[in-house]
Amino acid sequence: MLLRHHFSSYLDTVRREGRYRIFTDLERDPARPPYATWRDGSNCREVVVWCSNDYLGMGRHPLVIDAMAKAARHMGAGAGGTRNISGNSHAVVSLEAGLADLHRKEAALAFSSGYVANEAALGTIGRLLPNCLILSDEKNHASMIAGIRASGADKKIFRHNDLDHLEALLRQEGPRRPKLIAFESVYSMDGDVAPIGRICDLAAQFGALTYLDEVHAVGLYGLRGAGIAERDGVMERVDVIEGTLAKGFGVAGGYIAADAVICDAIRSAAPSFIFTTAMPPPVAAAAMKSVALVKESIGLRMAHGLRVEKTREVLQAAGIPMMSSQSHIIPVLIGDPNLCRDASALLLEKYALYIQPINYPTVPRGTERLRITPTPFHSDHLIDNLANALYEVWDTLDLPFEETAHAPDFRPPSFVASAAQDFH
Ligand SMILES: Cc1ncc(COP(=O)(O)O)c(C=O)c1O
């Protein structure tokens, strides 16, 4: 093939830097979360998944699966076209009403993914507001950065969660200039949380709009699972809330919830909304079911929180060096791409535990890590098992322990497979 060497030399560089990505071939078992079948060539092996963003396991909920299957039978598998050309599917209309209600906003707009939602919404808001300045947290997700770039608006980056820096940047601008503060609630790689209320205070003081990505918080926090803004009692102060249907809600798709006029403007102007096929009705129906269930499931949110707490406690006792995190995300620092890949491979091959290594560019070089995300389905038994395996891996690879380290009782790898029977 012509020019092939450019592609292979790029891949050589990625391999040399230890960050070549290998995607594990898995089949998640909806009847037995968090178990999955790992297909390694012609071999199949049962593994325990510790890194899923289906945080509550809603993707395997029987009623969500039922809603998807029924909608497919009733309305077909696909959307049949863009919304401009083929109309709105009723399933999407209902979903948007449910999302507007979740966030107590006038309207919501669904997109094919959370990435597209950020790209479309930020890209359009920044473009439609004349002379807009976007103030963006330095740790914002790639999709937000893509949207800000696409908008063509001026941008200023404020230091992560640094209110003094944000205020200083706001002060440099005249009061009449349209401004938008774009930030996340839960930062997905470090697990830290934004001071949403105080950012809203600054926005009110300096006349800025607020745009909050709650992708890693929807379903998990707040009385009805609307996210950290709901938990903190400031949801009505945020102008645009962006979320995903793929993580806490376990399905696929993204959305914004905001004033009707903002949603209508984005619907009317965003190329990545207008020129792409709409969300398939079975996906919308499954997401709608999941949102409805999660709204009512305080118990599920509590169970999730307790499992996270328990995992932290047990890993801490085993001396596993967790980064500080204020959320359900437990990042374990390794700090080297090759060691991170080796730790992940050992966990999978020897202990049948799947935790994907997180390397550059997802995180800065030198901060490579394992990112552990317990679900309500990770029993005490599985948590002990994880601690034992991590302890052994740290020992094998000579990785530094926290000072509290003491060896947990080690159980042989065969224990992992039998845990499936114990759990069910
Ligand atoms: C903060 C943040 N925003 C947006 C997205 C994109 O969401 P989706 O996976 O639905 O495209 C992600 C994906 O992980 C994310 O971490």
Side-chain angles (χ1 to χ4, degrees):
M1 187 193 78
L2 204 63
L3 302 177
R4 181 189 186 96
H5 61 283
H6 290 291
F7 302 107
S8 40
S9 83
Y10 166 74
L11 290 172
D12 288 344
T13 307
V14 170
R15 279 197 189 89
R16 220 175 17 254
E17 291 177 2
R19 57 187 180 91
Y20 181 72
R21 290 171 185 228
I22 296 166
F23 299 142
T24 306
D25 184 348
L26 291 174
E27 270 173 33
R28 293 198 296 154
D29 184 345
R32 297 174 55 246
Y35 289 90
T37 302
W38 169 36
R39 293 185 178 276
D40 182 24
S42 55
N43 295 327
C44 283
R45 198 170 159 199
E46 180 171 79
V47 297
V48 176
V49 178
W50 274 103
C51 58
S52 175
N53 279 348
D54 182 355
Y55 297 124
L56 298 174
M58 291 307 291
R60 40 62 47 199
H61 195 293
L63 296 178
V64 172
I65 295 172
D66 247 22
M68 182 174 262
K70 272 193 194 133
R73 275 194 293 274
H74 185 58
M75 291 180 261
T82 68
R83 289 167 79 166
N84 288 283
I85 288 176
S86 306
N88 269 344
S89 134
H90 183 65
V92 175
V93 174
S94 308
L95 172 64
E96 288 176 341
L99 291 168
D101 169 69
L102 175 68
H103 293 287
R104 309 268 191 228
K105 299 287 179 201
E106 284 177 2
L109 197 60
F111 299 83
S112 42
S113 73
Y115 188 103
V116 173
N118 270 333
E119 199 267 339
L122 283 166
T124 305
I125 295 170
R127 181 158 55 87
L128 294 186
L129 289 174
N131 190 31
C132 178
L133 172 70
I134 301 182
L135 297 115
S136 173
D137 187 287
E138 69 177 328
K139 291 210 172 160
N140 276 343
H141 188 254
S143 55
M144 300 174 78
I145 295 167
I148 293 166
R149 283 207 182 117
S151 76
D154 287 350
K155 69 158 189 282
K156 287 190 176 174
I157 313 289
F158 59 95
R159 285 190 294 272
H160 179 51
N161 278 346
D162 185 334
L163 294 165
D164 292 337
H165 192 213
L166 175 58
E167 180 172 351
L169 294 178
L170 284 163
R171 271 192 198 289
Q172 291 168 7
E173 300 304 321
R176 287 183 196 284
R177 182 169 194 189
K179 295 174 279 295
L180 175 75
I181 304 172
F183 61 113
E184 300 180 24
S185 58
V186 174
Y187 285 85
S188 66
M189 291 301 140
D190 295 347
D192 58 336
V193 171
I196 301 174
R198 286 156 73 204
I199 292 178
C200 290
D201 291 342
L202 285 176
Q205 187 182 342
F206 291 94
L209 291 176
T210 45
Y211 182 102
L212 176 63
D213 176 315
E214 288 255 36
V215 158
H216 291 275
V218 287
L220 310 182
Y221 299 94
L223 193 61
R224 297 198 308 160
I228 298 283
E230 184 190 32
R231 184 198 72 179
D232 292 356
V234 293
M235 194 160 66
E236 78 290 349
R237 301 185 66 199
V238 179
D239 294 298
V240 183
I241 294 178
E242 186 268 347
T244 185
L245 300 162
K247 301 186 197 295
F249 297 123
V251 187
Y255 65 90
I256 57 157
D259 277 5
V261 69
I262 293 183
C263 291
D264 204 15
I266 293 167
R267 183 186 73 85
S268 307
S272 49
F273 178 84
I274 295 172
F275 297 109
T276 191
T277 298
M279 181 184 282
V283 172
M288 177 63 201
K289 187 57 164 181
S290 179
V291 170
L293 289 167
V294 166
K295 266 183 198 169
E296 306 298 326
S297 300
I298 299 173
L300 187 63
R301 274 185 283 291
M302 284 171 67
H304 178 242
L306 289 172
R307 294 293 81 201
V308 172
E309 219 173 276
K310 178 76 185 179
T311 307
R312 269 207 186 95
E313 223 171 76
V314 175
L315 294 194
Q316 190 175 15
I320 303 304
M322 291 169 285
M323 296 166 68
S324 70
S325 158
Q326 301 154 278
S327 67
H328 58 284
I329 293 161
I330 305 180
V332 173
L333 185 67
I334 295 189
D336 176 273
N338 294 311
L339 284 171
C340 195
R341 182 200 54 210
D342 293 350
S344 169
L346 253 179
L347 285 166
L348 187 63
E349 286 157 18
K350 188 164 176 198
Y351 301 96
L353 302 179
Y354 173 47
I355 310 178
Q356 182 72 20
I358 308 283
N359 288 340
Y360 175 84
T362 310
V363 294
R365 290 179 209 271
T367 70
E368 290 79 7
R369 65 197 71 173
L370 300 177
R371 178 179 177 275
I372 296 171
T373 50
T375 70
F377 301 98
H378 288 91
S379 61
D380 282 358
H381 195 54
L382 294 181
I383 293 171
D384 287 344
N385 205 28
L386 170 71
N388 287 329
L390 284 172
Y391 187 92
E392 288 278 310
V393 167
W394 251 240
D395 207 34
T396 307
L397 297 178
D398 212 11
L399 292 167
F401 284 94
E402 286 292 342
E403 286 196 349
T404 53
H406 68 262
D409 297 338
F410 178 67
R411 300 180 184 95
S414 59
F415 168 83
V416 176
S418 69
Q421 275 70 51
D422 294 358
F423 185 56
H424 289 275

